Amino acid sequence: MTAPAAYRVSHLDALEAESIFVMREVVAEMERPVLLFSGGKDSIVMLRLAQKAFAPASIPFPVMHVDTGHNFPEVLEYRDQRVTELGLQLIVASVPEALSNGLVRESADGMRNRIQTPVLLDAVEKHRFDALFGGARRDEEKARAKERVFSFRDEFGQWDPKNQRPELWSLYNGRHHPGESIRVFPLSNWTELDVWHYIARERIPLPSIYYAHEREVIEREGMLYAVNEFIRPRAGEERFKAQVRYRTVGDASCTAAVRSDADTVEKVIEEVAATRITERGATRGDDRVSEAAMEDRKREGYF
Amino acid sequence: MSVDTAAPADSVLPEGRPMDLLRFATAGSVDDGKSTLIGRLLYDTKSLFTDQLAAVEAVSAARGDEYTNLALLTDGLRAEREQGITIDVAYRYFATPRRKFIIADTPGHIQYTRNMVTGASTADLALILVDARKGLVEQSRRHAFLCSLLRVPHLVLCVNKMDLVDWSQEVFERIADEFTAFATKLDAPDLSVVPISALRGDNIVSRSENMPWYEGPSLLHHLERVHIASDRNLVDVRFPVQYVIRPQSTTVTDYRGYAGQVASGVLKPGDEVMALPSGFTSRIAAVETADGPVDEAFPPMSVTVRLADEIDISRGDMICRPNNAPAVTQDVEAMVCWMDESRPLQVGGKYAIKHTTRSARAIVRGLHYRLDINTLHRDESATELKLNEIGRVRLRTTVPLLADEYRRNRTTGGFVIIDETTNRTVAAGMIVDTA
Ligand SMILES: Nc1nc2c(ncn2[C@@H]2O[C@H](COP(=O)(O)OP(=O)(O)OP(=O)(O)O)[C@@H](O)[C@H]2O)c(=O)[nH]1
Ligand SMILES: [Mg+2]
């Protein structure tokens, strides 16, 4: 053996080891875990970590997609392909279905972010899931920066930010009463750049919309939205072609693209390293509603 | 549709070693400037995004602050902004060309001490802030004591708000001396002191021109260079088994691997090992990861260990070496920090306990004393521990713990106590004696 003297691991290896530890704790201690899989890069990385945590066995829990009905086709295709490859069970909690059976009503602005929450909670109850893996990272947003790795939810799915359980060392407390659950965030300590470095290192394929491509867009409130079946130009909005990519993948009716020439993972890393705007700030119409938009949604049980 | 990617190298430093990770936490009394310091550090290292800064500027302006309140960068909850204090830990991330940093900005208010403990428990280093005008107050001592109890390996005393004491060397030295004297009693491992102004940025990323009498490095300089590699215990092999991997598959048969994260020591194929609590011995057949076998595993790697013999091992067991094993004991002496407001710790009380990957029940057999944080006096007449109180207890557990003294091993020496009716985490425990 050479260079054992150092016994060092890179920061990326340290993050990976921590996430794997978290996932194994959940499977060992919780009864019915599920991984929230949107086809976005963070949930894709989380899925890779799950593969690693239990190899050579297969991933010992199903995945769930909360489908708003506003999807990017590339992402849905990716989701299905991945699920088939890994032999996973996919549960789709469908917002359109919930709309048609009256569980939720379309909100005035047409955004489905908020109405995703009851649909998610309904599926959790139906399947009696007690642990939900989410791909949220603390660097994404100021309310997320405050959340525990094991985040307790009461029987209404609510988060109480002023009364979180202490979380010491790596001793995670997943105990709960029936009906309550734990959201688990294995990527808590990863940054957007870490995620991209990892995607590069692990050669993880992504939905193509994460890389630069030409698209017909409109500009709305300073953000570029793809023209598609959900977003139509309003009066005075000009459609034009631009070279763009997506930094986050959410509901297709409120996720914006950014101008970019980054068509390879190396170029994306360069771009992300140099960017001066947070990923949610650059791409999410839904966070702009108020200063504490995310905190309020999380309290209600959002991811 | 998907795009395949090529693999560039992980981030490495010019000298070729991988970039490492320093986790640090803030500590100190309410309003001493912890969040402002973190905001300043992020601002001055250009780690802020323009939209984050713009949001904070807008809120500051709307509230009529005279200057942009950088504390708002970490005080992200509605209630925190309303009250102007930190309530729970905020985690922030930044990197310089030398290192990656994970910051835990903790609350100074006594009511939220448990959140400070949460942030400090995983820290390699703690920044203890003191307001230069006020000097050491009870809460500064409490936090310094908690850092030493949690054995945060490196402490930095930051005497803050030097701008409000005319950058006085005398004030700085008086506080530094007083703190150093207190720290000696705590046997704090490594202590540095630096005079700063978090608000104005003095001695944060570069040396201050207002304090030419200070000859030490800036805070960031220290954070980038403090030596942490030897903080890990590479001597005592401790591998708490988290999960047994047994694929139910037709292609992989007879596979049995013990998954876990190395707590300490170095594991290699061929090593003779002992499983606890059974005491059976075997040899390591392989140390595996999903990417293939490795020649050795050390902290903080998550791996799967396979043994040469079929012995009975399950979650909560520990793999160690026959000649270097933790205690196998149902009786432990520990310092505990009580974190529950509704019910105090009581002698005779029964609780759930989580230690490494093992869960058990425990009864409090005795409370030796409660500590007075200011004087470190031991009150032996105490009969209970209330919220934020610290004391030494004797516990008896339903099953043996595989334990080391916390000072020797932060992973196999620490535990949490959980209230079995509320399921809340009510105490942090640090084992002082396993006899
Ligand atoms: N003049 C001066 N004021 C400062 C300095 N650092 C912080 N302050 C002010 O002190 C007040 C409290 O600062 P915070 O950063 O919120 O204090 P904190 O330690 O995070 O407080 P908690 O988290 O609630 O314990 C704010 O009004 C800051 O602007 C400094 O170096 N000089
Ligand atoms: Mg603060």
Side-chain angles (χ1 to χ4, degrees):
Chain A
M1 258 315 292
T2 51
Y7 289 119
R8 286 177 194 275
V9 299
S10 70
H11 81 274
L12 218 46
D13 286 326
L15 291 173
E16 181 191 66
E18 178 179 82
S19 304
I20 288 176
F21 177 84
V22 168
M23 299 190 112
R24 288 171 171 170
E25 280 302 282
V26 169
V27 170
E29 295 221 314
M30 309 295 283
E31 259 161 44
R32 297 174 69 87
V34 66
L35 184 146
L36 297 172
F37 185 62
S38 64
K41 67 181 186 313
D42 301 312
S43 62
I44 291 170
V45 164
M46 199 162 54
L47 202 56
R48 170 58 59 97
L49 291 163
Q51 263 180 289
K52 287 200 176 196
F54 304 100
S58 40
I59 297 175
F61 39 78
V63 299
M64 178 157 77
H65 180 211
V66 181
D67 178 358
T68 61
H70 297 160
N71 294 300
F72 294 95
E74 297 89 338
V75 178
L76 275 194
E77 203 180 307
Y78 179 95
R79 178 197 78 183
D80 293 337
Q81 188 191 324
R82 205 86 189 128
V83 162
T84 314
E85 259 169 37
L86 297 174
L88 296 169
Q89 184 201 347
L90 171 71
I91 294 157
V92 178
S94 161
V95 173
E97 228 169 77
L99 282 167
S100 72
N101 66 26
L103 176 70
V104 290
R105 284 215 316 226
E106 201 86 70
S107 60
D109 57 7
M111 282 197 201
R112 290 187 172 169
N113 225 314
R114 206 152 195 141
I115 60 174
Q116 275 184 72
T117 303
V119 178
L120 168 73
L121 297 180
D122 183 60
V124 169
E125 205 172 307
K126 194 156 84 211
H127 295 273
R128 290 183 294 113
F129 291 128
D130 62 350
L132 285 79
F133 287 110
R137 310 185 320 264
R138 287 169 173 159
D139 82 320
E140 274 179 77
E141 204 280 333
K142 59 188 184 305
R144 289 192 163 162
K146 296 265 161 183
E147 196 158 10
R148 301 283 187 260
V149 175
F150 269 47
S151 187
F152 175 79
R153 292 293 191 283
D154 68 10
E155 58 272 57
F156 302 101
Q158 300 180 103
W159 179 53
D160 182 359
K162 281 186 72 178
N163 198 18
Q164 300 194 82
R165 289 179 176 173
E167 190 164 80
L168 285 106
W169 303 291
S170 49
L171 294 173
Y172 300 110
N173 177 0
R175 291 173 68 118
H176 60 280
H177 294 116
E180 299 168 343
S181 61
I182 307 286
R183 300 284 168 89
V184 182
F185 302 107
L187 304 183
S188 286
N189 288 321
W190 296 55
T191 63
E192 184 186 15
L193 197 55
D194 295 329
V195 166
W196 278 104
H197 274 295
Y198 195 72
I199 286 165
R201 188 182 89 174
E202 302 285 315
R203 301 169 195 257
I204 302 174
L206 292 184
S208 57
I209 64 172
Y210 276 111
Y211 297 103
H213 55 283
E214 196 181 68
R215 210 173 255 266
E216 204 178 14
V217 295
I218 51 150
E219 193 171 331
R220 184 176 290 172
E221 288 158 25
M223 297 202 265
L224 295 182
Y225 289 92
V227 179
N228 53 30
E229 56 178 302
F230 317 112
I231 298 177
R232 315 300 318 174
R234 295 176 190 155
E237 285 176 345
E238 200 79 41
R239 357 166 129 212
F240 57 98
K241 287 209 162 131
Q243 193 67 12
V244 298
R245 67 174 202 89
Y246 284 85
R247 262 176 92 182
T248 66
V249 167
D251 184 288
S253 69
C254 62
T255 304
V258 294
R259 277 183 207 276
S260 171
D261 294 320
D263 55 1
T264 65
V265 71
E266 294 80 4
K267 289 187 198 163
V268 172
I269 288 176
E270 260 175 58
E271 185 188 283
V272 171
T275 186
R276 303 304 327 139
I277 303 184
T278 63
E279 61 178 36
R280 293 193 79 89
T283 64
R284 290 302 180 90
D286 47 329
D287 282 355
R288 297 207 159 176
V289 181
S290 80
E291 197 201 320
M294 176 63 91
E295 180 182 340
D296 295 342
R297 266 184 284 139
K298 286 187 77 69
R299 280 171 181 274
E300 292 167 5
Y302 185 71
F303 312 121
Chain B
M1 188 165 47
S2 60
V3 175
D4 219 38
T5 58
D10 209 349
S11 33
V12 283
L13 291 174
E15 61 262 37
R17 72 174 165 87
M19 184 138 102
D20 65 2
L21 195 57
L22 179 88
R23 295 179 195 242
F24 69 94
T26 59
S29 189
V30 69
D31 278 352
D32 284 355
K34 298 176 290 298
S35 301
T36 306
L37 170 63
I38 297 314
R40 173 55 71 180
L41 211 44
L42 295 171
Y43 184 84
D44 286 355
T45 53
K46 306 202 168 34
S47 313
L48 287 176
F49 294 97
T50 49
D51 53 323
Q52 289 173 326
L53 190 60
V56 163
E57 279 167 351
V59 173
S60 279
R63 304 196 324 181
D65 295 342
E66 276 167 41
Y67 43 82
T68 300
N69 185 352
L70 293 175
L72 293 173
L73 286 163
T74 58
D75 290 341
L77 297 176
R78 197 189 278 282
E80 293 178 324
R81 292 178 169 210
E82 278 163 14
Q83 298 170 45
I85 58 165
T86 305
I87 291 174
D88 210 332
V89 199
Y91 293 91
R92 297 303 301 251
Y93 305 82
F94 78 106
T96 67
R98 297 195 70 91
R99 229 174 213 168
K100 291 270 301 186
F101 297 93
I102 299 182
I103 310 172
D105 181 34
T106 77
H109 198 290
I110 183 159
Q111 190 185 341
Y112 307 116
T113 302
R114 57 176 174 237
N115 298 334
M116 176 272 173
V117 171
T118 291
S121 69
T122 51
D124 302 305
L125 178 148
L127 302 175
I128 300 181
L129 273 80
V130 171
D131 184 330
R133 296 169 304 176
K134 298 188 212 150
L136 290 192
V137 295
E138 172 170 330
Q139 194 62 351
S140 347
R141 291 200 183 84
R142 173 175 282 109
H143 279 189
F145 179 73
L146 286 168
C147 288
S148 80
L149 197 62
L150 290 163
R151 296 205 72 79
V152 178
H154 308 274
L155 300 184
V156 181
L157 172 73
C158 302
V159 180
N160 188 30
K161 309 199 185 181
M162 289 299 293
D163 54 307
L164 299 180
V165 294
D166 277 337
W167 316 105
S168 160
Q169 180 174 10
E170 197 198 318
V171 170
F172 169 70
E173 280 173 359
R174 185 160 37 76
I175 296 172
D177 289 348
E178 195 189 345
F179 188 86
T180 310
F182 183 69
T184 319
K185 288 195 261 177
L186 302 177
D187 94 273
D190 165 40
L191 174 67
S192 313
V193 289
V194 46
I196 62 169
S197 169
L199 188 69
R200 298 175 178 235
D202 291 76
N203 285 335
I204 308 298
V205 308
S206 52
R207 293 265 302 272
S208 164
E209 288 176 6
N210 291 312
M211 294 174 275
W213 45 264
Y214 171 71
E215 289 175 348
S218 71
L219 181 59
L220 181 65
H221 185 97
H222 182 68
L223 293 174
E224 283 184 310
R225 285 166 184 81
V226 60
H227 181 68
I228 53 166
S230 49
D231 295 342
R232 285 170 310 163
N233 177 336
L234 293 170
V235 177
D236 309 315
V237 172
R238 301 288 184 268
F239 185 74
V241 175
Q242 244 191 312
Y243 184 74
V244 182
I245 297 183
R246 302 200 57 181
Q248 307 295 317
S249 127
T250 44
T251 45
V252 193
T253 49
D254 295 332
Y255 183 98
R256 195 183 172 85
Y258 305 106
Q261 185 168 27
V262 184
S264 59
V266 181
L267 289 89
K268 294 194 215 54
D271 284 353
E272 231 210 299
V273 290
M274 178 164 74
L276 290 178
S278 72
F280 291 132
T281 56
S282 181
R283 262 180 322 98
I284 296 182
V287 180
E288 297 178 346
T289 69
D291 301 307
V294 292
D295 293 334
E296 49 189 357
F298 45 88
M301 291 169 69
S302 281
V303 296
T304 303
V305 172
R306 303 187 66 195
L307 300 182
D309 308 279
E310 287 260 330
I311 55 179
D312 178 17
I313 300 181
S314 52
R315 173 172 168 87
D317 292 358
M318 177 128 40
I319 292 172
C320 60
R321 305 271 293 194
N323 56 0
N324 177 343
V328 181
T329 176
Q330 283 174 262
D331 296 286
V332 294
E333 292 277 336
M335 296 299 295
V336 301
C337 171
W338 196 251
M339 306 192 290
D340 192 42
E341 62 270 50
S342 51
R343 271 178 288 189
L345 169 134
Q346 266 159 347
V347 177
K350 294 197 181 95
Y351 303 95
I353 177 170
K354 198 169 178 198
H355 170 258
T356 67
T357 53
R358 198 160 248 256
S359 293
R361 298 185 72 215
I363 180 167
V364 180
R365 275 282 165 82
L367 171 62
H368 299 295
Y369 57 80
R370 178 177 57 211
L371 263 187
D372 179 315
I373 302 297
N374 271 310
T375 58
L376 302 183
H377 172 75
R378 300 171 174 185
D379 178 3
E380 295 177 5
S381 66
T383 55
E384 56 178 35
L385 292 179
K386 293 203 286 286
L387 178 66
N388 299 324
E389 292 186 333
I390 294 160
R392 178 164 168 161
V393 299
R394 184 171 186 84
L395 300 176
R396 169 89 183 165
T397 55
T398 46
V399 294
L401 301 184
L402 315 167
D404 292 290
E405 288 171 19
Y406 184 78
R407 56 179 307 126
R408 183 147 184 108
N409 200 314
R410 265 172 116 181
T411 309
T412 56
F415 61 87
V416 293
I417 296 177
I418 297 166
D419 183 306
E420 292 181 302
T421 56
T422 63
N423 287 331
R424 287 189 59 92
T425 305
V426 292
M430 285 130 290
I431 295 170
V432 281
D433 203 344
T434 50

